[in-house]
């Protein structure tokens, strides 16, 4: 089971390069998107991962010793883990000067949090700059409010999906346009990941909703 969970996590990070046949008008993923007015459902952003280049090398031991809410265990992980409460986020600081910020619920929160971490580093005496801020991943979720026949969905959309209910309860659906990975559960819960823009999350849901509606349990 642990092996499969690692495989699922790896799956979410990689979307296979599509061949020409994937873009056929008869492709299951080429449905006409619904509009938000059709169902009144909009995915909620649950997590944003962003990166920043602080432009200088960091002494991680010094940061861990003098910064609040920071921990550093080089034997386990080669980065300082730092947390702030507002916005509630976590940062990973690497000695190269690269930083990863996770936990924000919006692009603005992610940028604000990253700036706060950079300021902490500056106050510790490092010539840190705030450069190359970039959203690397957005995770959204929603509930379509009806149960889904995952077996039927997998049978007709096998080229886009992976489903092994004995090992993982959700169906993994790799959408190509936009390039998003969706976890679809029989309860109607949907998780969308792999986006770098909020519009891609919304567009992916608008594409998948009519497909899910076709496999609604009766």
């Amino acid at each position: 089971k642990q092996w499969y969970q690692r495989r699922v996590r790896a799956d979410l990070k990689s979307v296979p390069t599509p061949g020409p046949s994937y873009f056929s008008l008869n492709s299951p993923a080429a449905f006409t998107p619904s509009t938000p007015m059709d169902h009144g459902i909009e995915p909620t952003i649950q997590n944003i991962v962003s990166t920043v280049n602080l432009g200088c090398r960091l002494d991680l031991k010094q940061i861990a010793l003098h910064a609040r809410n920071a921990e550093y265990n080089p034997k386990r992980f080669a980065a300082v883990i730092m947390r702030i409460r507002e916005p509630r986020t976590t940062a990973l600081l690497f000695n190269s000067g690269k930083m990863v910020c996770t936990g924000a619920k919006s692009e603005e929160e992610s940028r604000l949090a990253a700036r706060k971490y950079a300021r902490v580093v500056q106050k510790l005496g490092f010539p840190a700059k705030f450069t190359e801020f970039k959203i690397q991943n957005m995770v959204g979720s929603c509930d379509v409010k009806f149960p889904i026949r995952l077996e039927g969905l997998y049978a007709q959309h096998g080229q886009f999906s992976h489903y092994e209910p004995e090992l993982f309860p959700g169906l993994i659906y790799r959408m190509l346009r936009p390039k998003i990975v969706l976890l679809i559960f029989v309860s109607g819960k949907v998780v969308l990941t792999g986006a770098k823009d909020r519009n891609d999350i919304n567009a992916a849901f608008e594409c998948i909703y009519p497909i899910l509606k076709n496999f609604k349990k009766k």
Side-chain angles (χ1 to χ4, degrees):
K1 188 173 181 179
Q2 289 179 343
W3 169 85
Y4 185 73
Q5 289 171 341
R6 288 197 297 271
R7 178 178 164 189
V8 167
R9 284 194 292 267
D11 242 348
L12 295 179
K13 294 179 181 177
S14 61
V15 180
T17 303
S21 62
Y22 274 51
F23 295 96
S24 163
L25 291 176
N26 297 320
S27 164
F31 278 68
T32 302
S34 56
T35 64
M37 294 302 292
D38 292 340
H39 47 69
I41 303 169
E42 185 173 348
T44 301
I45 301 300
Q46 301 293 346
N47 184 31
I48 292 179
V49 179
S50 62
T51 54
V52 172
N53 185 357
L54 299 178
C56 65
R57 295 195 68 82
L58 304 176
D59 184 332
L60 300 185
K61 287 184 180 179
Q62 184 181 341
I63 292 174
L65 283 172
H66 296 94
R68 297 177 60 187
N69 301 316
E71 57 186 82
Y72 179 48
N73 187 340
K75 291 182 179 179
R76 294 185 62 186
F77 190 56
V80 166
I81 301 171
M82 192 182 297
R83 296 177 176 87
I84 58 175
R85 292 183 180 178
E86 189 59 42
R88 187 177 289 275
T89 51
T90 300
L92 305 176
L93 297 166
F94 297 87
N95 61 9
S96 64
K98 299 293 174 64
M99 180 174 71
V100 179
C101 180
T102 69
K105 305 286 188 182
S106 70
E107 299 93 320
E108 296 77 16
E109 274 194 5
S110 187
R111 181 181 289 272
L112 174 61
R115 284 193 178 279
K116 286 189 174 184
Y117 290 116
R119 201 169 300 129
V120 169
V121 174
Q122 287 172 345
K123 287 181 178 179
L124 293 174
F126 296 92
K129 300 175 183 177
F130 189 83
T131 64
E132 300 174 24
F133 175 83
K134 186 177 182 182
I135 301 292
Q136 299 290 351
N137 187 26
M138 299 180 96
V139 180
S141 68
C142 58
D143 187 349
V144 297
K145 306 293 186 185
F146 56 78
I148 301 165
R149 293 185 293 110
L150 296 183
E151 294 84 357
L153 177 59
Y154 179 57
Q156 291 196 28
H157 294 254
Q159 61 178 325
F160 300 98
S161 55
H162 186 85
Y163 183 49
E164 290 188 56
E166 302 85 1
L167 299 173
F168 184 70
L171 179 145
I172 302 170
Y173 195 104
R174 300 174 187 81
M175 187 172 288
L176 303 174
R177 294 177 293 173
K179 202 170 186 180
I180 301 291
V181 177
L182 301 94
L183 299 180
I184 302 166
F185 297 90
V186 67
S187 65
K189 297 286 196 307
V190 179
V191 177
L192 308 93
T193 186
K196 298 194 177 182
D197 184 274
R198 184 185 296 263
N199 292 332
D200 286 345
I201 293 274
N202 293 334
F205 180 69
E206 297 308 320
C207 286
I208 201 68
Y209 183 80
I211 297 174
L212 300 182
K213 209 168 178 183
N214 288 337
F215 293 95
K216 177 180 179 180
K217 278 189 177 181
K218 297 178 181 177

